[in-house]
Coordinates of all heavy atoms in Angstrom, one line a residue:
M1 N 56.3 -63.0 60.2 CA 56.4 -64.3 60.8 C 57.8 -64.4 61.5 O 58.8 -64.1 60.9 CB 56.2 -65.4 59.8 CG 56.0 -66.8 60.3 SD 56.0 -68.0 59.1 CE 54.5 -67.7 58.2
A2 N 57.8 -64.9 62.7 CA 59.0 -65.1 63.4 C 59.8 -66.3 62.8 O 59.3 -67.1 62.0 CB 58.8 -65.4 64.9
G3 N 61.1 -66.4 63.1 CA 61.9 -67.5 62.6 C 61.4 -68.9 63.0 O 60.6 -69.0 63.9
C4 N 62.0 -69.8 62.4 CA 61.6 -71.2 62.6 C 62.6 -71.8 63.7 O 63.7 -71.4 63.8 CB 61.8 -71.9 61.3 SG 61.7 -73.7 61.3
S5 N 62.1 -72.8 64.4 CA 62.9 -73.4 65.4 C 64.1 -74.2 64.9 O 65.0 -74.6 65.6 CB 62.1 -74.3 66.4 OG 61.8 -75.5 65.7
S6 N 64.1 -74.4 63.6 CA 65.2 -75.1 62.9 C 66.4 -74.1 63.0 O 67.6 -74.6 62.9 CB 64.9 -75.4 61.5 OG 64.8 -74.2 60.7
G7 N 66.2 -72.8 63.2 CA 67.3 -71.9 63.2 C 67.8 -71.5 61.9 O 68.7 -70.7 61.7
K8 N 67.2 -72.1 60.8 CA 67.7 -71.9 59.5 C 67.0 -70.7 58.9 O 65.9 -70.3 59.3 CB 67.5 -73.1 58.6 CG 68.3 -74.3 59.0 CD 67.9 -75.5 58.1 CE 68.8 -76.7 58.3 NZ 68.4 -77.8 57.6
R9 N 67.6 -70.1 57.9 CA 67.0 -69.0 57.2 C 65.8 -69.6 56.4 O 66.0 -70.6 55.8 CB 68.1 -68.4 56.2 CG 67.6 -67.1 55.6 CD 68.9 -66.4 55.3 NE 68.5 -65.3 54.4 CZ 69.4 -64.5 53.7 NH1 70.7 -64.8 53.9 NH2 69.1 -63.5 53.0
S10 N 64.8 -68.8 56.3 CA 63.6 -69.3 55.6 C 63.4 -68.5 54.3 O 63.7 -67.3 54.2 CB 62.3 -69.0 56.5 OG 62.5 -69.7 57.7
Y11 N 62.9 -69.2 53.3 CA 62.6 -68.6 52.0 C 61.1 -68.9 51.7 O 60.7 -70.0 51.9 CB 63.5 -69.2 51.0 CG 65.0 -69.0 51.3 CD1 65.7 -70.0 51.9 CD2 65.6 -67.8 50.9 CE1 67.1 -69.8 52.2 CE2 66.9 -67.6 51.2 CZ 67.7 -68.6 51.9 OH 69.0 -68.4 52.2
V12 N 60.5 -67.8 51.2 CA 59.0 -67.9 51.0 C 58.6 -68.9 49.9 O 57.5 -69.4 50.0 CB 58.4 -66.6 50.8 CG1 58.5 -65.7 52.1 CG2 59.0 -65.8 49.6
S13 N 59.4 -69.1 48.9 CA 59.1 -70.0 47.9 C 60.2 -70.9 47.5 O 61.4 -70.6 47.8 CB 58.5 -69.3 46.7 OG 59.6 -68.7 45.9
E14 N 59.9 -72.0 46.8 CA 61.0 -72.9 46.4 C 61.9 -72.2 45.4 O 63.1 -72.4 45.5 CB 60.3 -74.2 45.8 CG 61.4 -75.2 45.4 CD 60.8 -76.5 45.0 OE1 59.5 -76.6 44.8 OE2 61.5 -77.5 44.8
A15 N 61.3 -71.4 44.5 CA 62.2 -70.8 43.5 C 63.2 -69.8 44.2 O 64.3 -69.8 43.8 CB 61.3 -70.0 42.6
I16 N 62.7 -69.1 45.2 CA 63.6 -68.2 45.9 C 64.7 -69.0 46.7 O 65.9 -68.6 46.7 CB 62.8 -67.3 46.9 CG1 62.0 -66.3 46.0 CG2 63.7 -66.5 47.8 CD1 61.0 -65.5 46.8
A17 N 64.3 -70.1 47.3 CA 65.3 -70.9 48.0 C 66.3 -71.5 47.0 O 67.5 -71.5 47.4 CB 64.5 -72.1 48.7
V18 N 65.9 -71.9 45.9 CA 66.9 -72.4 44.9 C 67.8 -71.3 44.4 O 69.0 -71.6 44.3 CB 66.1 -73.1 43.7 CG1 67.1 -73.4 42.5 CG2 65.4 -74.3 44.1
E19 N 67.3 -70.1 44.2 CA 68.1 -69.0 43.9 C 69.2 -68.8 44.9 O 70.3 -68.5 44.6 CB 67.2 -67.8 43.8 CG 67.6 -66.8 42.6 CD 66.5 -65.8 42.4 OE1 66.6 -64.7 43.1 OE2 65.6 -66.1 41.6
A20 N 68.8 -68.8 46.2 CA 69.7 -68.6 47.3 C 70.8 -69.7 47.3 O 71.9 -69.5 47.7 CB 68.9 -68.6 48.6
L21 N 70.3 -70.9 47.0 CA 71.2 -72.1 47.0 C 72.3 -71.9 45.9 O 73.5 -72.1 46.2 CB 70.4 -73.4 46.7 CG 71.2 -74.7 46.5 CD1 71.8 -75.1 47.8 CD2 70.2 -75.8 45.9
I22 N 71.9 -71.5 44.7 CA 72.8 -71.2 43.7 C 73.8 -70.1 44.1 O 75.0 -70.2 43.9 CB 72.1 -70.8 42.4 CG1 71.1 -71.9 41.9 CG2 73.1 -70.5 41.2 CD1 71.6 -73.2 41.4
E23 N 73.2 -69.0 44.6 CA 74.0 -67.9 45.0 C 75.0 -68.3 46.1 O 76.1 -67.8 46.0 CB 73.0 -66.9 45.7 CG 73.5 -65.4 45.7 CD 73.5 -64.8 44.3 OE1 73.0 -65.4 43.3 OE2 74.2 -63.7 44.2
A24 N 74.7 -69.2 47.0 CA 75.6 -69.6 48.0 C 76.8 -70.3 47.4 O 77.9 -70.2 47.8 CB 74.9 -70.5 49.0
H25 N 76.5 -71.1 46.3 CA 77.6 -71.8 45.6 C 78.4 -70.9 44.8 O 79.6 -71.2 44.5 CB 77.0 -73.0 44.8 CG 76.7 -74.2 45.7 ND1 77.6 -75.2 45.8 CD2 75.6 -74.4 46.4 CE1 77.0 -76.1 46.6 NE2 75.9 -75.7 47.0
V26 N 77.9 -69.8 44.4 CA 78.6 -68.8 43.6 C 79.6 -68.1 44.6 O 80.7 -67.8 44.3 CB 77.7 -67.7 42.9 CG1 78.5 -66.6 42.4 CG2 76.9 -68.4 41.8
Q27 N 79.1 -67.8 45.8 CA 79.8 -67.0 46.7 C 80.9 -67.8 47.4 O 82.0 -67.3 47.6 CB 78.8 -66.5 47.8 CG 79.5 -65.4 48.7 CD 78.4 -64.8 49.6 OE1 77.2 -65.1 49.6 NE2 78.8 -63.9 50.5
F28 N 80.6 -69.1 47.7 CA 81.5 -69.9 48.4 C 81.9 -71.1 47.5 O 81.0 -71.7 47.0 CB 81.0 -70.4 49.7 CG 80.5 -69.3 50.6 CD1 79.2 -69.1 50.8 CD2 81.5 -68.5 51.3 CE1 78.7 -68.1 51.7 CE2 81.0 -67.5 52.2 CZ 79.7 -67.3 52.4
D29 N 83.2 -71.5 47.5 CA 83.5 -72.7 46.8 C 83.5 -73.8 47.7 O 84.4 -74.1 48.5 CB 85.0 -72.5 46.2 CG 85.3 -73.6 45.2 OD1 84.5 -74.6 45.1 OD2 86.4 -73.5 44.6
Y30 N 82.4 -74.5 47.7 CA 82.2 -75.6 48.7 C 83.0 -76.8 48.4 O 83.1 -77.7 49.2 CB 80.7 -76.0 48.8 CG 79.8 -74.9 49.5 CD1 78.9 -74.2 48.8 CD2 80.0 -74.7 50.8 CE1 78.1 -73.3 49.4 CE2 79.2 -73.7 51.4 CZ 78.2 -73.0 50.7 OH 77.5 -72.1 51.3
G31 N 83.4 -76.9 47.1 CA 84.1 -78.1 46.8 C 83.2 -79.3 46.7 O 82.0 -79.1 46.5
N32 N 83.7 -80.5 46.7 CA 82.9 -81.7 46.6 C 82.1 -82.1 47.8 O 82.7 -82.2 48.9 CB 83.8 -82.8 46.1 CG 83.3 -83.4 44.8 OD1 82.3 -82.8 44.2 ND2 83.9 -84.5 44.3
R33 N 80.8 -82.2 47.7 CA 80.0 -82.8 48.7 C 80.1 -82.0 50.1 O 80.2 -82.6 51.1 CB 80.4 -84.3 49.0 CG 80.1 -85.1 47.8 CD 80.0 -86.6 48.2 NE 79.1 -87.3 47.3 CZ 77.8 -87.4 47.6 NH1 77.3 -86.9 48.7 NH2 77.0 -88.1 46.8
S34 N 80.0 -80.7 50.0 CA 79.9 -79.9 51.2 C 79.0 -78.8 50.9 O 78.8 -78.4 49.8 CB 81.3 -79.5 51.7 OG 81.8 -78.6 50.9
G35 N 78.5 -78.1 52.0 CA 77.6 -77.0 51.8 C 76.2 -77.5 51.5 O 76.0 -78.7 51.3
P36 N 75.3 -76.5 51.3 CA 73.9 -76.9 51.0 C 73.8 -77.4 49.6 O 74.5 -76.9 48.7 CB 73.2 -75.6 51.2 CG 74.2 -74.5 50.9 CD 75.5 -75.1 51.5
I37 N 73.0 -78.4 49.4 CA 72.9 -79.0 48.0 C 71.4 -79.0 47.5 O 71.2 -79.3 46.4 CB 73.4 -80.4 48.0 CG1 72.8 -81.3 49.0 CG2 75.0 -80.4 48.1 CD1 73.0 -82.8 48.7
A38 N 70.5 -78.7 48.4 CA 69.1 -78.9 48.1 C 68.2 -78.0 48.9 O 68.7 -77.4 49.9 CB 68.6 -80.3 48.2
V39 N 67.0 -77.8 48.5 CA 66.0 -77.1 49.3 C 64.9 -78.0 49.7 O 64.6 -79.0 49.1 CB 65.4 -75.9 48.5 CG1 66.6 -75.0 48.0 CG2 64.5 -76.3 47.4
Y40 N 64.2 -77.7 50.8 CA 63.1 -78.5 51.2 C 62.0 -77.7 51.9 O 62.3 -76.7 52.5 CB 63.5 -79.7 52.2 CG 64.0 -79.2 53.5 CD1 63.1 -79.2 54.6 CD2 65.2 -78.7 53.7 CE1 63.4 -78.8 55.9 CE2 65.6 -78.2 55.0 CZ 64.7 -78.3 56.1 OH 65.1 -77.8 57.3
P41 N 60.7 -78.1 51.8 CA 59.6 -77.4 52.4 C 59.6 -77.8 53.9 O 59.8 -79.0 54.2 CB 58.4 -77.9 51.7 CG 58.8 -79.2 51.1 CD 60.3 -79.2 50.9
C42 N 59.5 -76.8 54.8 CA 59.5 -77.1 56.2 C 58.1 -77.3 56.8 O 57.2 -76.5 56.5 CB 60.2 -75.9 56.9 SG 60.2 -76.1 58.7
D43 N 57.9 -78.3 57.5 CA 56.6 -78.6 58.1 C 56.2 -77.6 59.1 O 55.0 -77.3 59.3 CB 56.6 -80.0 58.7 CG 56.6 -81.1 57.7 OD1 56.2 -80.8 56.6 OD2 57.0 -82.2 58.0
E44 N 57.2 -77.1 59.8 CA 56.9 -76.2 60.9 C 56.6 -74.8 60.5 O 55.5 -74.2 60.9 CB 58.2 -76.1 61.8 CG 57.8 -75.5 63.1 CD 59.1 -75.3 64.0 OE1 60.0 -76.1 64.0 OE2 59.1 -74.3 64.7
C45 N 57.4 -74.2 59.6 CA 57.1 -72.8 59.3 C 56.4 -72.6 57.9 O 56.0 -71.5 57.5 CB 58.4 -72.0 59.3 SG 59.6 -72.4 58.1
G46 N 56.3 -73.7 57.2 CA 55.7 -73.6 55.9 C 56.5 -73.0 54.8 O 56.0 -72.7 53.7
Q47 N 57.7 -72.6 55.1 CA 58.6 -72.0 54.1 C 59.7 -73.0 53.7 O 59.6 -74.2 54.1 CB 59.2 -70.7 54.7 CG 58.1 -69.7 55.0 CD 58.6 -68.3 55.3 OE1 59.6 -67.9 54.8 NE2 57.9 -67.6 56.1
F48 N 60.7 -72.5 53.0 CA 61.7 -73.4 52.5 C 63.0 -73.1 53.1 O 63.4 -72.0 53.4 CB 61.8 -73.3 51.0 CG 60.6 -73.9 50.2 CD1 59.5 -73.2 50.1 CD2 60.7 -75.2 49.7 CE1 58.4 -73.7 49.4 CE2 59.6 -75.7 49.0 CZ 58.4 -75.0 48.9
H49 N 63.8 -74.2 53.4 CA 65.2 -74.1 53.9 C 66.1 -74.8 53.0 O 65.8 -75.6 52.2 CB 65.3 -74.7 55.3 CG 64.3 -74.2 56.3 ND1 64.3 -72.9 56.7 CD2 63.4 -74.8 57.1 CE1 63.4 -72.7 57.6 NE2 62.8 -73.9 57.9
L50 N 67.4 -74.4 53.2 CA 68.5 -75.2 52.5 C 68.9 -76.3 53.3 O 68.9 -76.3 54.5 CB 69.7 -74.2 52.2 CG 69.4 -72.9 51.5 CD1 70.7 -72.2 51.1 CD2 68.6 -73.1 50.3
T51 N 69.4 -77.4 52.7 CA 69.9 -78.5 53.4 C 71.1 -79.1 52.7 O 71.3 -79.0 51.5 CB 68.8 -79.6 53.5 OG1 69.4 -80.7 54.2 CG2 68.3 -80.1 52.2
S52 N 72.0 -79.7 53.5 CA 73.2 -80.3 52.9 C 73.0 -81.8 52.8 O 73.9 -82.6 52.4 CB 74.4 -80.0 53.8 OG 74.2 -80.5 55.1
T53 N 71.8 -82.3 53.1 CA 71.6 -83.8 53.0 C 70.5 -84.0 51.9 O 69.9 -83.1 51.4 CB 71.1 -84.4 54.3 OG1 69.9 -83.7 54.7 CG2 72.1 -84.2 55.4
G54 N 70.4 -85.3 51.5 CA 69.5 -85.7 50.5 C 70.1 -85.6 49.1 O 71.3 -85.6 49.0
S55 N 69.3 -85.6 48.1 CA 69.9 -85.6 46.7 C 70.0 -84.1 46.2 O 69.2 -83.3 46.6 CB 69.1 -86.5 45.8 OG 67.7 -86.3 46.0
I56 N 71.0 -83.9 45.4 CA 71.3 -82.6 44.9 C 70.1 -82.0 44.1 O 69.5 -82.7 43.3 CB 72.6 -82.6 44.1 CG1 73.1 -81.2 43.8 CG2 72.5 -83.5 42.9 CD1 74.5 -81.1 43.4
N57 N 69.9 -80.7 44.3 CA 68.9 -80.0 43.5 C 69.3 -80.1 42.0 O 70.4 -79.9 41.6 CB 68.9 -78.5 44.0 CG 67.9 -77.7 43.2 OD1 68.3 -77.1 42.2 ND2 66.7 -77.6 43.6
K58 N 68.2 -80.3 41.2 CA 68.5 -80.5 39.8 C 69.1 -79.3 39.1 O 69.9 -79.4 38.2 CB 67.1 -80.8 39.1 CG 66.6 -82.2 39.4 CD 67.5 -83.3 38.8 CE 67.1 -84.7 39.4 NZ 68.3 -85.6 39.5
K59 N 68.6 -78.1 39.5 CA 69.1 -76.9 38.9 C 70.6 -76.7 39.2 O 71.4 -76.3 38.4 CB 68.3 -75.7 39.3 CG 68.6 -74.5 38.5 CD 67.6 -73.4 38.8 CE 67.9 -72.1 38.0 NZ 66.9 -71.0 38.3
L60 N 70.9 -76.9 40.5 CA 72.3 -76.8 41.0 C 73.2 -77.8 40.2 O 74.3 -77.5 39.8 CB 72.4 -77.0 42.5 CG 73.8 -77.0 43.1 CD1 74.5 -75.6 42.8 CD2 73.8 -77.3 44.6
E61 N 72.7 -79.0 40.1 CA 73.4 -80.1 39.5 C 73.7 -79.7 38.0 O 74.8 -79.8 37.5 CB 72.6 -81.4 39.5 CG 73.3 -82.6 39.0 CD 72.5 -83.8 39.1 OE1 71.3 -83.8 38.8 OE2 73.1 -84.9 39.4
Q62 N 72.7 -79.1 37.4 CA 72.9 -78.7 36.0 C 73.9 -77.6 35.8 O 74.7 -77.6 34.9 CB 71.5 -78.3 35.4 CG 71.5 -78.1 33.9 CD 70.3 -77.2 33.6 OE1 69.2 -77.4 34.1 NE2 70.5 -76.2 32.7
F63 N 73.8 -76.6 36.7 CA 74.6 -75.4 36.7 C 76.1 -75.8 36.9 O 77.0 -75.2 36.3 CB 74.2 -74.4 37.8 CG 73.2 -73.5 37.3 CD1 72.3 -73.8 36.3 CD2 73.0 -72.2 37.9 CE1 71.3 -72.9 35.8 CE2 72.1 -71.3 37.5 CZ 71.2 -71.7 36.4
I64 N 76.3 -76.9 37.8 CA 77.7 -77.4 38.0 C 78.1 -78.1 36.7 O 79.3 -77.9 36.2 CB 77.7 -78.3 39.2 CG1 77.5 -77.5 40.5 CG2 79.1 -79.0 39.2 CD1 77.3 -78.3 41.7
A65 N 77.3 -78.9 36.2 CA 77.6 -79.8 35.0 C 77.9 -78.9 33.8 O 78.8 -79.2 33.0 CB 76.5 -80.8 34.7
D66 N 77.1 -77.9 33.5 CA 77.3 -77.2 32.3 C 78.2 -75.9 32.4 O 78.3 -75.2 31.4 CB 75.9 -76.8 31.7 CG 75.1 -75.7 32.4 OD1 75.7 -75.1 33.3 OD2 74.0 -75.5 32.2
G67 N 78.8 -75.7 33.6 CA 79.7 -74.7 33.7 C 79.1 -73.3 34.1 O 79.9 -72.3 34.2
T68 N 77.8 -73.3 34.2 CA 77.2 -72.0 34.5 C 77.6 -71.5 35.9 O 77.9 -70.3 36.0 CB 75.6 -72.1 34.6 OG1 75.2 -72.6 33.3 CG2 74.9 -70.8 34.9
L69 N 77.8 -72.4 36.8 CA 78.2 -72.0 38.2 C 79.6 -71.3 38.1 O 79.8 -70.3 38.8 CB 78.2 -73.2 39.1 CG 78.4 -72.9 40.6 CD1 77.1 -72.2 41.1 CD2 78.7 -74.1 41.4
Q70 N 80.5 -71.9 37.4 CA 81.8 -71.4 37.2 C 81.8 -70.0 36.6 O 82.5 -69.1 37.0 CB 82.7 -72.3 36.4 CG 84.2 -72.1 36.6 CD 84.6 -72.2 38.0 OE1 84.3 -73.1 38.7 NE2 85.3 -71.2 38.5
K71 N 80.9 -69.8 35.6 CA 80.8 -68.5 35.0 C 80.3 -67.4 35.9 O 80.8 -66.3 36.0 CB 79.8 -68.6 33.8 CG 80.5 -69.0 32.5 CD 79.5 -69.1 31.4 CE 79.8 -70.2 30.4 NZ 78.6 -70.7 29.7
L72 N 79.3 -67.8 36.7 CA 78.7 -66.9 37.7 C 79.7 -66.5 38.7 O 79.8 -65.4 39.2 CB 77.5 -67.5 38.4 CG 76.2 -67.7 37.5 CD1 75.2 -68.5 38.3 CD2 75.6 -66.4 37.1
R73 N 80.5 -67.5 39.1 CA 81.6 -67.3 40.1 C 82.6 -66.3 39.6 O 83.0 -65.3 40.3 CB 82.2 -68.6 40.4 CG 82.8 -68.6 41.8 CD 83.3 -70.0 42.1 NE 82.4 -70.9 42.7 CZ 82.4 -72.2 42.6 NH1 83.4 -72.8 42.0 NH2 81.5 -72.9 43.3
T74 N 83.0 -66.5 38.4 CA 84.0 -65.6 37.7 C 83.4 -64.2 37.6 O 84.0 -63.2 37.9 CB 84.4 -66.1 36.3 OG1 84.8 -67.4 36.5 CG2 85.5 -65.2 35.7
A75 N 82.2 -64.1 37.2 CA 81.5 -62.8 37.0 C 81.4 -62.1 38.4 O 81.6 -60.9 38.4 CB 80.1 -63.0 36.4
S76 N 81.1 -62.8 39.4 CA 80.9 -62.1 40.7 C 82.3 -61.7 41.3 O 82.3 -60.7 41.9 CB 80.2 -63.0 41.7 OG 81.1 -63.9 42.4
K77 N 83.3 -62.4 40.9 CA 84.7 -61.9 41.3 C 85.0 -60.6 40.6 O 85.5 -59.7 41.2 CB 85.7 -63.0 41.0 CG 86.0 -63.9 42.1 CD 87.1 -65.0 41.7 CE 87.0 -66.2 42.6 NZ 87.4 -67.4 41.9
W78 N 84.7 -60.6 39.3 CA 85.0 -59.4 38.5 C 84.2 -58.2 39.0 O 84.8 -57.1 39.0 CB 84.7 -59.7 37.0 CG 85.9 -60.4 36.4 CD1 85.9 -61.7 36.1 CD2 87.1 -59.8 35.9 NE1 87.1 -62.0 35.5 CE2 87.8 -60.9 35.3 CE3 87.6 -58.5 35.9 CZ2 89.1 -60.7 34.8 CZ3 88.9 -58.3 35.3 CH2 89.6 -59.4 34.8
S79 N 83.0 -58.4 39.3 CA 82.2 -57.3 39.8 C 82.5 -56.8 41.2 O 82.2 -55.7 41.6 CB 80.7 -57.7 39.7 OG 80.4 -58.5 40.8
G80 N 83.2 -57.7 41.9 CA 83.6 -57.4 43.3 C 82.4 -57.3 44.2 O 82.4 -56.8 45.3
K81 N 81.3 -57.9 43.7 CA 80.1 -57.9 44.5 C 80.2 -58.5 45.9 O 79.6 -58.1 46.8 CB 79.0 -58.8 43.7 CG 77.6 -58.6 44.3 CD 76.7 -59.4 43.3 CE 75.3 -59.6 44.0 NZ 74.5 -60.5 43.2
W82 N 81.1 -59.5 46.0 CA 81.2 -60.2 47.3 C 82.4 -59.8 48.1 O 82.6 -60.4 49.1 CB 81.2 -61.7 47.1 CG 80.0 -62.2 46.2 CD1 80.1 -62.7 45.0 CD2 78.7 -62.2 46.6 NE1 78.8 -63.0 44.6 CE2 78.0 -62.7 45.6 CE3 78.0 -61.8 47.8 CZ2 76.6 -62.9 45.6 CZ3 76.6 -62.0 47.8 CH2 75.9 -62.5 46.8
R83 N 83.1 -58.8 47.7 CA 84.3 -58.4 48.4 C 84.0 -57.1 49.2 O 83.2 -56.3 48.7 CB 85.4 -58.2 47.5 CG 85.7 -59.3 46.6 CD 86.6 -60.4 47.3 NE 86.5 -61.7 46.6 CZ 87.1 -62.8 47.1 NH1 87.6 -62.8 48.3 NH2 87.0 -63.9 46.4
Ligands
LIG101 ZN1 61.1 -74.0 59.1

């Protein structure tokens, strides 16, 4: 399937999109209220995209609140995965 006219990266399922959302926050320190915060189903391509508007994804919110995101970030720095 060709890309979507939204120009955004498409994810075949919500679970995969959420995974990418978390991964993005591990890779980049977006700080407060910036970067993608949720995923949504696209009417046009039928797949999922990330969005920086709307309400925050529950899993991302939880990962931030319970420190999981910080742990993943530290782990990825140590592994050098993103360098
Ligand atoms: Zn789309």
Side-chain angles (χ1 to χ4, degrees):
M1 192 187 292
C4 170
S5 72
S6 71
K8 291 176 174 176
R9 191 156 167 191
S10 305
Y11 300 94
V12 292
S13 77
E14 185 172 8
I16 291 170
V18 170
E19 218 168 88
L21 175 68
I22 305 289
E23 201 73 10
H25 279 263
V26 171
Q27 191 172 0
F28 305 106
D29 190 353
Y30 289 113
N32 237 6
R33 298 200 146 270
S34 69
I37 56 161
V39 306
Y40 70 96
C42 179
D43 288 338
E44 194 188 325
C45 66
Q47 299 193 28
F48 289 80
H49 301 303
L50 306 188
T51 178
S52 57
T53 59
S55 39
I56 188 164
N57 176 270
K58 290 292 169 211
K59 191 171 179 183
L60 176 61
E61 187 177 39
Q62 188 201 319
F63 273 25
I64 290 169
D66 70 11
T68 301
L69 191 70
Q70 198 56 53
K71 274 182 212 153
L72 290 171
R73 206 175 270 157
T74 305
S76 89
K77 263 180 204 153
W78 277 99
S79 75
K81 190 176 169 187
W82 305 112
R83 306 277 165 188

